[in-house]
Amino acid sequence: MTTADASEQPEPSGPRPEVRTVAGAVRGTREAGAAVFRGIPFAEPPVGPLRFAAPRPVRRWDGVRDAVSYGPPPPQGGHFGMDALAQDAVGGDWLTVNIWSPEPGPGTGLPVMVWIHGGAYTIGMSGLPEYDGGRLARDGGVVVVTFNYRVGPEGFGQFEGAPANRGLLDQIAALEWVRDNIAAFGGDPDRVTVFGQSAGGGSVAALLAMPRAAGLFRRAVAQSAQGTFFSPELAADIAGACAAGLGLRPTAADLATVAPARLSAAGDAVGAEAARWADRWGRVAHRPILFSPVVDGDALPVTPWQALADGAGRDVGLLVGHTRDEQRLFTALDGLLGQVTQEQATAALDAFAPGPDGARRYREGLPAASPEELYELVQSDWLFRMPSLHLAQAQTAAGGRAHVYELTWPAPGMGGAFGACHGLDVPLVFGNLDRGQPAVLIGEGPPPEAEALSARMRAAWTAFAAHGDPGWPAYDAGQRLVQLFGTAPAVTAYPEETSRLVWQDHAFPVLPLTGG
């Protein structure tokens, strides 16, 4: 897959709307019935003396600032050509928000949906065409906000002399900006829903556990939440390997001398050889996953599952779910579709299944499963499916409310090879079925069933943002009812029963440094 041009956007139409933010006035555009504002800074550029620092409030400006183009993306890893997009960007004003509003102006009071993009905490930017919020805003009667946050070493590298979780702190700064400014764009600051997918879903989970984020959102949607949360020791060891590749120490002072693109490339180089650190880094070396939120005991005191079990999200509505075939996309990208051997399946089960008998329980629970099915199931479950389900279970066990879904509709692109894979939910939720990377999954000319499914999912997400009910019963430990989004939608007991039972006693602890 190739990355679509992040600068693509519809032609503006009509008089240009103006809004005054706390920091100054901005002038956007009108596009297909929505007022659109792009590239509004929510924090000072994290460069120079502010590199590797927590985000600082943006300074005021005089006059009216044009808000018609996305801000430059933060430094990126090399996957899907994202690093090239970042290297072509000018300046370090990475921390910007974009807004789509059906009806800007104070007093409108529309629900607000704030999107947190995914990308394995290593890539991602709000300006990708698949994240255009126009259709979701217009059809759903909501204000949609997207934003950039620091990823990779800039946002999640564990460097001496720098605060941990800078990417998450950027997200909190964006939500604080929404709290202070969104009313002027037609939004209700007391009806904010955060929603995100993959690393964005993991970020949503992290925000539920962060005291500094308390009160900044009323509802949360975690789509295929990435379940990796690092100990400080693991994160520091990975950062040390990245710095060593540059001949430096993993300190903010040393690494501030390195261009951001070069630091990102150093992370990519370590990732390419991560398997040789498997004895030290454990499961994340097999994927490889070099950057994730760090449970540092301060900004992020405990894992999301522990926080929710302790009642941290009891007053926050939660919508959470996953796709049926999460791993299929990665199997395809690795060139392994139809090629997985018994040895590869055994290695995956040994690496990722929980506990001493997890591999055996998978084989006994699914005696007819092929090597490829077992290979995909255990990785889907470890990284996305069971972390998402366990968020709902922790929330409900503490007396909170959660709604659960599974996307089962198989993507028609590439002859249907992808199934209901990771990332398929993104174009369906935004309604952008013919643009950006995920459009490859749906294929040329979205079929009517894709349009119909997208309409159902958009209606559910915006209804949840508006009043907390997506249209199906809340999850509980007895019936375990979930919404299946397939060709024919249905509410049924959670269908992945073998996986649920295999993982039911797993606590999703902090991932440790496993060797010295």
Side-chain angles (χ1 to χ4, degrees):
M1 290 189 289
T2 58
T3 301
D5 183 356
S7 67
E8 290 179 3
Q9 56 198 58
E11 288 295 320
S13 61
R16 296 180 59 188
E18 281 190 24
V19 168
R20 177 162 293 280
T21 72
V22 170
V26 293
R27 182 184 295 118
T29 63
R30 287 199 175 273
E31 299 168 11
V36 185
F37 303 82
R38 294 182 174 90
I40 305 174
F42 66 84
E44 283 294 287
V47 295
L50 299 184
R51 191 174 178 194
F52 306 127
R56 305 281 179 87
V58 65
R59 286 176 288 185
R60 295 176 182 270
W61 61 82
D62 295 325
V64 180
R65 184 185 183 115
D66 258 349
V68 298
S69 300
Y70 293 113
Q76 303 280 305
H79 311 284
F80 308 125
M82 300 288 271
D83 54 343
L85 287 179
Q87 288 170 8
D88 291 342
V90 177
D93 202 359
W94 309 324
L95 303 183
T96 57
V97 300
N98 319 294
I99 298 157
W100 290 260
S101 176
E103 193 177 347
T108 307
L110 296 174
V112 181
M113 299 183 68
V114 181
W115 172 250
I116 305 177
H117 68 72
Y121 302 105
T122 304
I123 60 173
M125 59 190 75
S126 63
L128 295 178
E130 52 262 42
Y131 303 145
D132 184 286
R135 191 173 188 188
L136 190 60
R138 289 189 303 270
D139 294 356
V142 297
V143 176
V144 175
V145 180
T146 68
F147 64 90
N148 288 338
Y149 60 96
R150 284 172 283 182
V151 294
E154 300 291 329
F156 292 93
Q158 184 79 355
F159 305 139
E160 181 183 335
N165 298 309
R166 296 176 298 280
L168 296 179
L169 298 179
D170 291 346
Q171 295 172 14
I172 290 175
L175 287 168
E176 290 173 337
W177 186 95
V178 168
R179 176 197 61 197
D180 297 339
N181 292 281
I182 205 63
F185 294 87
D188 183 349
D190 294 323
R191 283 201 295 168
V192 172
T193 297
V194 290
F195 69 127
Q197 182 265 350
S198 194
S203 295
V204 169
L207 291 169
L208 287 164
M210 297 179 75
R212 300 181 199 182
L216 292 176
F217 54 92
R218 188 171 179 179
R219 300 185 180 99
V221 183
Q223 303 170 210
S224 302
Q226 183 172 326
T228 51
F229 284 76
F230 288 1
S231 70
E233 295 78 17
L234 173 61
D237 205 64
I238 293 173
C242 296
L246 297 166
L248 298 171
R249 298 172 301 158
T251 67
D254 272 21
L255 294 173
T257 66
V258 177
R262 188 165 170 242
L263 182 56
S264 293
D268 289 345
V270 172
E273 298 185 346
R276 70 187 182 94
W277 278 283
D279 289 344
R280 294 176 64 80
W281 300 346
R283 290 165 163 166
V284 299
H286 293 285
R287 287 297 297 191
I289 297 168
L290 297 191
F291 302 103
S292 285
V294 179
V295 180
D296 63 341
D298 177 23
L300 183 57
V302 296
T303 67
W305 303 277
Q306 184 62 57
L308 290 183
D310 292 341
R314 191 178 293 121
D315 297 328
V316 178
L318 178 63
L319 172 59
V320 62
H322 56 74
T323 72
R324 184 187 58 203
D325 308 307
E326 295 278 3
Q327 173 64 22
R328 187 72 50 79
L329 175 67
F330 306 103
T331 304
L333 292 173
D334 291 338
L336 290 176
L337 278 183
Q339 307 295 320
V340 175
T341 65
Q342 185 67 58
E343 291 74 21
Q344 288 169 316
T346 297
L349 287 167
D350 290 344
F352 297 107
D357 64 344
R360 175 186 60 80
R361 294 180 68 192
Y362 265 108
R363 291 190 185 277
E364 291 181 354
L366 300 161
S370 68
E372 187 161 301
E373 287 170 332
L374 291 170
Y375 174 89
E376 292 194 338
L377 267 175
V378 69
Q379 295 192 71
S380 294
D381 286 344
W382 171 70
L383 190 53
F384 300 117
R385 298 202 319 175
M386 294 304 106
S388 299
L389 179 66
H390 281 226
L391 287 175
Q393 292 176 341
Q395 173 79 334
T396 56
R401 184 179 179 91
H403 296 266
V404 178
Y405 72 91
E406 182 178 41
L407 176 59
T408 61
W409 181 70
M414 302 294 287
F418 290 111
C421 68
H422 188 70
L424 180 59
D425 51 321
V426 173
L428 294 170
V429 166
F430 275 90
N432 298 324
L433 304 180
D434 57 356
R435 67 179 83 168
Q437 289 182 1
V440 176
L441 305 176
I442 295 174
E444 292 286 334
E449 65 182 42
E451 290 284 3
L453 179 58
S454 175
R456 286 196 294 270
M457 293 186 74
R458 282 181 282 123
W461 265 236
T462 55
F464 178 75
H467 48 74
D469 183 356
W472 65 88
Y475 186 89
D476 63 51
Q479 293 182 296
R480 296 190 293 275
L481 294 179
V482 305
Q483 173 73 58
L484 302 185
F485 284 106
T487 303
V491 175
T492 184
Y494 183 70
E496 314 300 344
E497 185 65 1
T498 296
S499 296
R500 186 188 71 82
L501 292 174
V502 168
W503 290 85
Q504 65 180 347
D505 297 322
H506 187 71
F508 286 96
V510 174
L511 295 172
L513 182 66
T514 59

